[in-house]
Amino acid sequence: MIVPEEFVHKFTCPVTVISVIANSALICIILSTPNKHVGAYRYLLMSFAFVDILISIVHFALVPCMILTEYGLIFFGFRFVSETTAAGTWANLLFVALFYQTFALLAFHYVYRYVIIC
């Protein structure tokens, strides 16, 4: 492993806390400020913040690890190594689904901006 496991575990906790606090603050600001100029765009911003909170929490719970071998990529969660195979599989699937959700939100973001501009 390029980065020591102990560093990853110690780094993940403060980053998760910062992410949850910052995104929760963004959601509170969006909900409490009545801005007519933003309109429906505020819901897209809130969805980004909400998905980021979920990704941060699942990342903290899973601590994903990827190992590149000559035959492919091995992906697993450090904190689910001692759990059952089913629990590890579901945790990995949840992480991957949330991770790719950000790309789907970006696609909605670009379409929304295109429609608004044009």
Side-chain angles (χ1 to χ4, degrees):
M1 180 175 218
I2 296 173
V3 179
E5 180 183 345
E6 182 179 330
F7 175 78
V8 172
H9 289 290
K10 288 183 180 179
F11 182 75
T12 303
C13 185
V15 171
T16 301
V17 170
I18 291 169
S19 173
V20 169
I21 290 171
N23 285 299
S24 297
L26 176 62
I27 291 171
C28 289
I29 290 169
I30 290 171
L31 290 174
S32 66
T33 342
N35 191 345
K36 304 285 188 238
H37 299 291
V38 177
Y41 189 61
R42 67 186 336 161
Y43 300 113
L44 190 58
L45 289 175
M46 283 193 310
S47 64
F48 270 109
F50 182 70
V51 168
D52 194 36
I53 289 171
L54 289 177
I55 289 172
S56 297
I57 292 170
V58 170
H59 187 276
F60 177 74
L62 185 69
V63 184
C65 178
M66 290 171 244
I67 300 172
L68 183 62
T69 67
E70 61 187 51
Y71 299 108
L73 185 70
I74 300 171
F75 172 78
F76 63 94
F78 268 124
R79 296 196 178 147
F80 280 82
V81 170
S82 61
E83 300 296 325
T84 64
T85 304
T89 301
W90 282 108
N92 289 339
L93 288 174
L94 179 63
F95 177 78
V96 170
L98 286 172
F99 182 78
Y100 283 108
Q101 186 64 29
T102 57
F103 297 117
L105 284 173
L106 279 176
F108 286 126
H109 180 255
Y110 290 128
V111 170
Y112 179 85
R113 298 287 297 249
Y114 179 77
V115 169
I116 294 299
I117 291 173
C118 296

